[in-house]
Amino acid sequence: MTTPQTSPTPASPAVRSCGCPDYDEARSALSRRSLLGGALLAGGAVALGPGLSSTGPRAYAVTNRTASRLANPAGSVLVLLSLRGAADGLSLVVPHADPAYYAARPRIGIPHASLLAPDAMFGLHPALAPLLPMWNAGTLAAVHATGMATPNRSHFAAMEAIEDAAPGSTERNGWLNRLLGQLPGASPLQGTAMGNQVPTSLFGTEPAFVVGKVDSAKVAGTDEDGRRLAALTHAWKGNGLMGQAVRDAIAGAQTFGAARDLPAGTPTTAYPSSTLGKALSDVSRIVRAGVGAEVITVDQGDWDMHTDLGTLEWGDMKRNAGDLASSIAAFFADLGPAADRVTLVTLSEFGRRVKENDNYGTDHGFGNVMFVAGAGVRGGKYYGSWPGLQNTLDGDLLVTTDYRSVLTEVVTKRFGVSVAQVFPGFAPQSVGLMV
């Protein structure tokens, strides 16, 4: 084992530029798709608050059925947290008993003595300390050597493939959108994306909402007596796609009122001031308000660490992993009793190479780790079959558990849906992490 060295020039900017053209293009393309979707509502007749839009051909009015559903707090909620840029799972969950790990990472390897919750093979990165209480309580688990069946080191192509989750299909329909199609209920917010774009996982025939901030999720420019809102509703009462989308947006904004009325966090909840911390704080408000959201997506970026991944003393891994852990821990504490309804899953488009590069970083790889937290999780342990590492330039962590097997256990156990509908043509293997 080699003690990590201190970089002479550590860099930890607030917003990273990893220098990876493929990742930059992926983010740009996703933003362009979001802009095109949002343009559906940008005709001037309806001015929405920043970050609120709707996609999908079907309109849902806020009916008595919806109100009845919103009054029932017992439904399950899935939060999909995407680690954009391809997180280094070998740093997040360290295979300390594999000798190739330390041989391949003489500077950035995490010393065994610093690992949290170690077992005979694995241990957690020290920056994940805020999650240790959940681990010890059995509400957090990790599944290693997960990913797609075949390597795909293109950020954009991998994001599309892992979120579509239907290899060989020509349909433009993400796996979360297919899940929504199997769920009952009529809330216009049933599928909600935090941020400024519709992820591939939510794209499809079922409506999905994009919300930048809960406090901004309202129809702008409407007066207090409701006349303008009534006029907008009347103006867009037609059956065309534009009218349906606008009515969805209006209904969603009205429904979000219950979440806007809730305070952000509690006096004892310490969310980070990061983008992720703010997003999960808003997700907590959405869940606690009972507005009918059952599938919610959140992103955390800046995981493409070709340079300055760093050591225990400095670098982007320490910063990003700490933000991830602090945000998730605060989120579940903030949920209170509603935490019994919520399961959170982390997913990244691919992993990183085993061998460190010359810039205190790692390059695009294959297998990765997934975290599953919250309701229904058999936590406090590491899952998956370990394939072993190779200390070679092109060495990758091989995938032994298809990521869809992990997701299958979550959605079938928490929602009771058919795996054939959500992941068509897929035969899952048993992971055993859900009750």
Side-chain angles (χ1 to χ4, degrees), residues 263-280:
T266 65
T268 58
T269 303
Y271 281 100
S273 59
S274 63
T275 300
L276 178 60
K278 293 174 182 176
L280 285 180

Side-chain angles (χ1 to χ4, degrees), residues 168-184:
S169 174
T170 58
E171 293 186 15
R172 183 76 163 148
N173 206 10
W175 74 271
L176 285 178
N177 199 278
R178 295 193 295 271
L179 171 61
L180 289 174
Q182 300 303 303
L183 301 180

Side-chain angles (χ1 to χ4, degrees), residues 116-117 124 128-140 325-326 328-330 332-333 379-380:
L116 304 177
L124 302 175
L128 299 178
L131 291 176
L132 197 56
M134 292 186 66
W135 185 274
N136 293 335
T139 56
L140 172 68
S326 296
I328 293 176
F332 277 100

Side-chain angles (χ1 to χ4, degrees), residues 330-355:
F331 171 62
F332 277 100
D334 191 23
L335 284 172
D340 293 338
R341 302 171 49 210
V342 179
T343 306
L344 180 147
V345 180
T346 69
L347 186 62
S348 201
E349 62 260 38
F350 48 77
R352 314 298 294 194
R353 295 287 174 88
V354 177
K355 196 174 184 66

Side-chain angles (χ1 to χ4, degrees), residues 283-308:
V283 173
S284 173
R285 295 167 73 188
I286 292 170
V287 173
R288 289 184 286 119
V291 295
E294 293 179 279
V295 174
I296 305 173
T297 64
V298 184
D299 286 356
Q300 184 191 26
D302 296 339
W303 286 99
D304 196 24
M305 301 176 188
H306 291 276
T307 63
D308 294 329

Side-chain angles (χ1 to χ4, degrees), residues 31-401:
S31 296
R32 288 197 298 270
R33 186 177 66 203
S34 169
L35 181 62
L36 290 172
L40 187 64
L41 302 173
V46 176
L48 297 173
L52 177 66
S53 60
S54 169
T55 180
R58 213 167 68 207
Y60 284 139
V62 182
T63 62
N64 290 334
R65 181 186 176 201
T66 303
S68 174
R69 180 174 181 79
L70 301 187
N72 178 11
S76 295
V77 178
L78 171 61
V79 177
L80 181 67
L81 173 51
S82 295
L83 310 183
R84 302 292 186 184
D88 178 29
L90 295 173
S91 289
L92 293 171
V93 176
V94 176
H96 63 82
D98 193 318
Y101 171 78
Y102 290 108
R105 299 185 172 200
R107 298 176 301 169
I108 68 171
I110 310 299
H112 177 274
S114 300
L115 296 175
L116 304 177
D119 71 356
M121 174 59 74
F122 301 111
L124 302 175
H125 191 290
L128 299 178
L131 291 176
L132 197 56
M134 292 186 66
W135 185 274
N136 293 335
T139 56
L140 172 68
V143 189
H144 225 318
T146 62
M148 292 187 284
T150 57
N152 185 334
R153 297 190 180 94
S154 162
H155 288 291
F156 185 71
M159 287 180 194
E160 291 281 309
I162 206 167
E163 295 187 12
D164 182 73
S169 174
T170 58
E171 293 186 15
R172 183 76 163 148
N173 206 10
W175 74 271
L176 285 178
N177 199 278
R178 295 193 295 271
L179 171 61
L180 289 174
Q182 300 303 303
L183 301 180
S187 170
L189 307 176
Q190 203 165 13
T192 297
M194 298 301 302
N196 60 4
Q197 59 200 27
V198 180
T200 300
S201 57
L202 275 175
F203 197 89
T205 57
E206 301 297 321
F209 270 76
V210 183
V211 181
K213 297 178 181 179
V214 164
D215 289 331
S216 300
K218 52 190 175 183
V219 180
T222 55
D223 45 42
E224 292 297 326
D225 63 10
R227 287 180 297 173
R228 177 170 170 76
L229 191 60
L232 288 172
T233 303
H234 178 76
W236 294 99
K237 65 180 180 180
N239 293 325
L241 290 178
M242 188 72 164
Q244 293 170 352
V246 172
R247 291 197 304 276
D248 271 351
I250 293 173
Q254 290 176 303
T255 307
F256 253 112
R260 290 195 302 271
D261 292 341
L262 288 178
T266 65
T268 58
T269 303
Y271 281 100
S273 59
S274 63
T275 300
L276 178 60
K278 293 174 182 176
L280 285 180
S281 174
D282 272 356
V283 173
S284 173
R285 295 167 73 188
I286 292 170
V287 173
R288 289 184 286 119
V291 295
E294 293 179 279
V295 174
I296 305 173
T297 64
V298 184
D299 286 356
Q300 184 191 26
D302 296 339
W303 286 99
D304 196 24
M305 301 176 188
H306 291 276
T307 63
D308 294 329
L309 179 149
T311 70
L312 290 185
E313 288 74 37
W314 67 274
D316 294 318
M317 176 58 65
K318 176 182 178 182
R319 172 182 55 83
N320 242 31
D323 179 27
L324 175 69
S326 296
S327 298
I328 293 176
F331 171 62
F332 277 100
D334 191 23
L335 284 172
D340 293 338
R341 302 171 49 210
V342 179
T343 306
L344 180 147
V345 180
T346 69
L347 186 62
S348 201
E349 62 260 38
F350 48 77
R352 314 298 294 194
R353 295 287 174 88
V354 177
K355 196 174 184 66
E356 68 180 51
N357 60 31
D358 294 335
N359 298 310
Y360 281 86
T362 57
D363 298 319
H364 296 181
F366 187 21
N368 211 332
V369 70
M370 295 173 67
F371 291 105
V372 186
V377 179
R378 289 191 176 105
K381 63 182 295 186
Y382 305 96
Y383 292 86
S385 176
W386 188 246
L389 303 178
Q390 293 184 351
N391 178 21
T392 62
L393 182 63
D394 295 327
D396 281 337
L397 171 61
L398 299 179
V399 169
T400 58
T401 300

